[in-house]
Each structure stands twice: as C-alpha cells, then as structure tokens.
Amino acid sequence: AAFVGEENLYREKLRPTTWPEALPLEQETHFLALSVGNCNISWGWYNGPGDTDGNKYNLCMAWSTPHISAESIKTRGATSVLASHISTKVAEALFDAGIGSKEAAETAATKRTSYLFTVYIISSNLVQAETQAERAAYLMKELPFRVFFLQPNDFYTMGQGRYPGMGLDGMAAARGASTLYGSPALVLDGGTCGTYTAVDKNGHIDGGG
C-alpha cells in the first residue's frame, strides 16, 4: 500500500528521462543505476563515457540492499542512509573520505572530472516499488547528482512489442540481453516470481510471462 502522512516527506517526485539530456555526461568516469524490486534494491556501478581504459558502460560492481525505510531517513538523515546503502568503494568515490554528508559529497564532486554525477532508477509497476524509487531519489536530492527515472519507451515502444503491464525491470533485462548478445533472445528473471521475456530476430518483444 502507498505510504501516507509524515512518511510522504521522504518521497521525492521522480524526474522522467528526456534524451539526449539524460545521457551520462562526457566527462563522467562512472555512473550509478538502481533497480527497485519487490523485496530489495539492486545497485550497479558502471564505467562512464569519460573512462579512459576502454571499458565505457561496463558494469564494475553490483550489490543489493534492503528497501529504504522512512524511519531510517527520519532518524539518520537522507545522505547518511544513502552512504549505508552503497559499497565502500562507491562511497569513497561519491563522498570525500567516504563520509556520508552533503559537504563531503560536494568536496568529492570538485575533485571529479565532472562535478555532476548521473543516477538512473527503474522499478516494477507495484506501488511499493514506486515508493522505494521515490525514496531513493530523496536520498540524493541535496547532492550534486542528476537523478533520472527510466521510462518504458526508453527500452521498447508499443510498436516494438511492449505490452500493458510489462515491468520496467523485464524490459531493461531484455534490452540489455539483446544489445549485448544479439537477437533472438530468451531472458529468464528469477526475482520474487520467475518470469521470462522473448525477443525476436528483429530485436522486438515477442511475448513473455
């Protein structure tokens, strides 16, 4: 169910993507992506377009954390909660000396090749997941981050086979698999419940369940 009352203070309106504005900045060496599921949040740390080692857009690190509680934000503060949800290596990159504070984030930003840092969030269609995505955005609202909420059309249009009720996480997995490994493709997702998505030889959604 949706959260009401005081807990709504810890939800941030999600900013939809517009392209090419939402692309990582040319100077960014890394960017962050979050996939909000029914039971946890999956995080990914990626090389950005500013990477000089030939690994642009490669996944460097992945981890998962429990959902974000409104109570933890209230008692500990948004930035401190964010620091506790990311790995030590990522915290050191986003916060000066790995200290989770607004001031430490601004200091770290001045040392990067790009002051702004890009974050992408996707979630399933469930209200709880939507709320978690909003809370994740809230954790970053006062930091020098650009936070974008990925949309269905970022992966597939209705003309490309997207069907009503198809989850964003499934679309992202299908698009990633067909981009990296080619089409046709069959993607199996072992989340809260097992699902599959088929991609035809033209790179369009061919069905799922």
Side-chain angles (χ1 to χ4, degrees):
F3 291 90
V4 296
E6 185 183 50
E7 290 187 331
N8 280 328
L9 295 173
Y10 309 115
R11 295 175 61 177
E12 179 74 359
K13 183 174 176 60
L14 295 168
R15 178 184 181 186
T17 49
T18 55
W19 306 98
E21 176 197 2
L23 289 170
L25 302 174
E26 263 321 298
Q27 303 88 348
E28 285 187 273
T29 57
H30 294 89
F31 62 90
L32 188 65
L34 291 67
S35 177
V36 181
N38 297 331
C39 300
N40 56 32
I41 303 175
S42 299
W43 304 70
W45 179 248
Y46 293 83
N47 287 321
D51 176 79
T52 57
D53 296 327
N55 296 313
K56 295 180 182 180
Y57 303 109
N58 283 359
L59 176 66
C60 302
M61 185 183 306
W63 66 98
S64 63
T65 64
H67 280 170
I68 301 162
S69 72
E71 183 62 26
S72 67
I73 299 174
K74 178 181 178 182
T75 57
R76 297 167 51 198
T79 307
S80 176
V81 172
L82 172 62
S84 71
H85 274 72
I86 57 181
S87 73
T88 301
K89 179 180 178 180
V90 176
E92 290 173 351
L94 298 183
F95 300 102
D96 189 50
I99 300 171
S101 71
K102 177 182 177 182
E103 294 73 22
E106 291 176 344
T107 300
T110 62
K111 299 177 180 180
R112 294 196 297 263
T113 54
S114 172
Y115 180 80
L116 293 175
F117 180 80
T118 303
V119 181
Y120 300 101
I121 301 177
I122 66 171
S123 77
S124 67
N125 293 326
L126 299 180
V127 172
Q128 182 185 32
E130 193 83 356
T131 300
Q132 284 295 311
E134 291 170 337
R135 288 187 187 170
Y138 182 89
L139 300 186
M140 309 172 197
K141 65 179 295 187
E142 294 186 344
L143 305 179
F145 294 177
R146 305 186 312 143
V147 182
F148 295 101
F149 186 58
L150 293 170
Q151 306 296 298
N153 277 349
D154 294 332
F155 302 103
Y156 295 97
T157 65
M158 298 298 281
Q160 294 172 320
R162 192 183 87 229
Y163 51 86
M166 187 178 184
L168 271 172
D169 48 356
M171 289 185 234
R175 175 59 72 187
S178 60
T179 298
L180 291 172
Y181 303 109
S183 302
L186 179 64
V187 180
L188 306 178
D189 187 348
T192 306
C193 55
T195 62
Y196 68 92
T197 305
V199 180
D200 67 20
K201 65 180 181 180
N202 299 313
H204 296 172
I205 296 295
D206 197 33

